[in-house]
Amino acid sequence: MLAAAYGCSGSAATVSGTVTYRERIALTPNAVLEVTLADVSRADAPAEVLGRQVIESPGQVPISFSIEYDPADIQDNHTYAVQARIREGDQLRWVSTESYLVITRDHPTEVDIKVRAVGGGTGGQ
């Protein structure tokens, strides 16, 4: 398991939860789950990633995750979201298609993310 926190100085906070999908399809041993925490406040700019967790060979769903971030990077008037994707080898197989808002504006710090099969990939029928 690999985890990376961006700019964490002092005490870190966490966003955690699970990633799952509806289909009854097993992940392969070469699957990699990546979950990111990003500031999605600005519609005219790319999201700023505040934290990320990468889990190699995550096993089967539901898969637990925990992303550390620096609370000093959080602004109350900004919007933050968690996104997930699962790759198998070099192919993107599953991706979150909904916004999972977290941290500010009474949003939780624990979320259950549902990912959907990417068209033409595993489970795309």
Side-chain angles (χ1 to χ4, degrees):
M1 173 172 16
L2 301 173
Y6 292 79
C8 281
S9 60
S11 67
T14 60
V15 169
S16 60
T18 61
V19 175
T20 191
Y21 50 81
R22 190 184 66 186
E23 293 84 356
R24 295 180 53 123
I25 297 171
L27 291 174
T28 63
N30 67 337
V32 176
L33 168 65
E34 179 181 13
V35 187
T36 57
L37 167 63
D39 182 341
V40 295
S41 301
R42 295 181 53 191
D44 62 342
E48 177 186 355
V49 174
L50 301 177
R52 168 181 284 126
Q53 183 177 26
V54 176
I55 303 172
E56 297 178 0
S57 301
Q60 302 306 318
V61 295
I63 304 163
S64 296
F65 69 89
S66 181
I67 302 172
E68 287 189 355
Y69 65 93
D70 186 343
D73 291 338
I74 303 301
Q75 297 180 36
D76 290 338
N77 62 342
H78 282 214
T79 303
Y80 301 90
V82 177
Q83 300 174 327
R85 59 181 51 217
I86 300 172
R87 292 187 169 280
E88 290 185 328
D90 62 352
Q91 294 189 312
L92 180 62
R93 296 296 192 177
W94 307 87
V95 66
S96 54
T97 58
E98 298 177 30
S99 290
Y100 292 89
L101 302 179
V102 293
I103 304 171
T104 57
R105 302 178 186 182
D106 294 324
H107 292 294
T109 56
E110 186 169 327
V111 291
D112 296 318
I113 300 173
K114 290 185 176 49
V115 292
R116 294 183 184 241
V118 173
T122 302
Q125 298 147 15

